[in-house]
Each structure stands twice: as structure tokens, then as C-alpha cells.
Amino acid sequence: MRVLAATADGVWSVGAGASGAEPGAAALAGRDVADLVAVPGGWRALAGPAVFASDGRVVAELTGPAATCLAAAGGREELLVGTEGAHLLRVAGGEARPEPGFDEADGRARWYTPWGGPPDTRTIAVAGDGTVYVNVHVGGVLRSEGDGRWVPTVDIDADVHQVLVVPGDDDHVVAATALGLATSRDRGANWTFTTGGLHGTYARAVAVAGDWLLMSASTGPYTDRAAVYRRPLGAAADEPFEPCASGLPAFTENIDTGSLVGSPSGQAVVAGPDGRLWASSDAGAAWEEAACGLPPVRRLVLPTG
């Protein structure tokens, strides 16, 4: 297994066969890498006011509000970038342009943050058919309609921290929220919430590993008790989570958005707040420590090629 970690000090590779860096060495050293996405033949990283390629070149310079998140949107050089102030940019041909219609989305005037500041674009998920889901914190999840419109889906006050489209099933969308797991099987038209088996409902990270869904949960934003849980992807709404206890420590801080990742083959990796990584090859049933001493992790990626 090889995992890439976007950190406060570059992009690190754990395992063999790194793209853009030797195993265990950092690319973009000295840069705080806010987000990372795998693309064919390498990766793209969001660091400061620019997007970088795994070969070190600058894909695009960014202006305006600070960038917060990144997603692949199609071709190798086409990307989506979220920003502070809850805006969305599309990067193509080396240029970043505002995504049409996003700033006019219904309900925008009600977006907020608990501390009174402006909301941010927090995570972006792209379905296989190109439909885009954007998580605004705090503003729910918006879905692209293909004609420039952006449609609100889940309730704003669910306080979504990450949205994810289940690989291979464009209808199945999940979100980690302050109210537990939110699940839609009709592209966000309807949502159900699951909290069974969790010791707390506050969730920041969600991932899919094989036929299992993994999620972090805690007692709140300033918790002293957090854990990773799992449940089958096809579980009924009332089927409880089970704790991923074998091999993982007791976490005393939140497992943050981006710090949990899975693959279709059932591999999974979680980053703790202390610079350690744990890996699982059986969809979270058992874990073992994979690395230690990393700078603060912003995003984990399991490359597909």
C-alpha cells in the first residue's frame, strides 16, 4: 500500500513507488499543502495561492480569497478549487475562473459559521457522470445541475464537514455531519441520518473502503474522545456502526476532514493528530501503524495507478 499525505510541510509518500517524490521524502517541502488529489500519472496539490503538479510545475496561480479545497473535475488539468467566503473556481488551461451560478445559489444568504465569520467551501466531490457536490461550512451540500444552477440538498443546520460520492454508484452520496452520517441514495434529493453505535454524533471525516463505509466520530468540536467506525455500504438506515478498535489507539482529538481515506480494494488509512498513520487492508476491521513523525496532515490520498 502507498499513501500520499498533504501536510503542513509538503507532500509525503509512505510506501514504495512514489510519484513525484522518493518514498518517505517530501515534495513541495516548506509549503503548507491544504489539499491533494490524485490524477493519472501523478497528483495535484493546493499550496498557498497556487496549484502544483507532482513534477513541481505550477498548474495555475490563484487570486482572490484564500483557497481551501481541491478536486479533480475531468481531464488531467481540469480542477475545482473551493475558497474562503464559500466560492468555487474551475481551473482549466492554466487559468482559474469562477464557476458560473455558484455565487447565486439559493439559500446563500443563510450560510454562516458558529463563530460568526464568513462560511467556506470545505469539501468537493465529483460523481462519475460529472455531477459535482460542494460542501459549504456551514451551508449544507449543493449539487450542480449542468445548466449553471446549483441546488441545495441537505439541511444547512446539519453542519456538514465532508461530502463524498460512493465510487461506482453516482446515486449514493454520503456526508459526515455534526448530526452523524447523512446518506442519500437519490443524488441528494432525500437524506437519512444514522447515529446508532456511535459514542458521539459529531463527524468530520468519511471514506469508503471496499463494501464498507468508514467514519470518524466524537463528542464535539473540542472533544477528548474520538474514534473511527464502520458499517456496510448497503446497511439499512437503522443499522448501527461498529467501532474500528483492533489496532487503533484511543484518540483524544478529532480525526479531521481529509484524515481518513479508503480504496475500492478495501484498503484504508487514518491519520492521527500526532503525525502517525494507521493502515488497514480489510476495510477497517484491523489496523497497524504505518508511519510516524509526519507534519500535521491536511489530506490523505491513496493513488489508483
Side-chain angles (χ1 to χ4, degrees), residues 6 20 39 82 120 124 129 135 138-139 153 167 178 194 196 222 251 264 269:
V39 298
D120 294 334
I124 306 167
D129 66 358
N135 154 214
V138 175
T153 63
T194 301
Y222 306 107
F251 295 105
V269 182

Side-chain angles (χ1 to χ4, degrees), residues 58-159:
V58 175
V59 174
E61 299 279 0
L62 305 174
T63 59
T68 55
C69 56
L70 182 70
R76 255 187 102 178
E77 302 299 337
E78 191 167 356
L79 304 163
L80 291 167
V81 176
T83 78
E84 293 180 351
H87 304 291
L88 187 66
L89 307 174
R90 186 174 293 265
V91 173
E95 295 187 7
R97 301 179 184 276
E99 183 68 3
F102 190 79
D103 285 353
E104 288 75 46
D106 288 345
R108 184 180 184 91
R110 295 198 298 120
W111 299 351
Y112 69 98
T113 55
W115 52 90
D120 294 334
T121 303
R122 187 177 176 103
T123 61
I124 306 167
V126 182
D129 66 358
T131 301
V132 181
Y133 296 84
V134 176
N135 154 214
V136 172
H137 187 253
V138 175
V141 173
L142 292 94
R143 184 186 67 235
S144 67
E145 289 296 283
D147 58 1
R149 292 183 302 122
W150 289 83
V151 177
T153 63
V154 71
D155 185 80
I156 288 175
D157 292 322
D159 193 3

Side-chain angles (χ1 to χ4, degrees), residues 207-214 230-233 242 282-284:
V208 173
D211 295 326
W212 290 79
L213 181 139
L214 306 177
R230 70 177 199 153
R231 71 197 293 266
L233 270 177
E242 61 182 58
D282 54 10

Side-chain angles (χ1 to χ4, degrees), residues 221-286:
Y222 306 107
T223 191
D224 61 1
R225 186 183 170 206
V228 179
Y229 293 85
R230 70 177 199 153
R231 71 197 293 266
L233 270 177
D238 59 353
E239 185 170 337
F241 283 89
E242 61 182 58
C244 297
S246 179
L248 287 181
F251 295 105
T252 57
E253 298 179 41
N254 275 296
I255 304 300
D256 211 353
T257 305
S259 295
L260 180 64
V261 67
S263 75
S265 64
Q267 297 175 328
V269 182
V270 61
D274 58 356
R276 289 191 289 169
L277 302 184
W278 288 266
S280 172
S281 59
D282 54 10

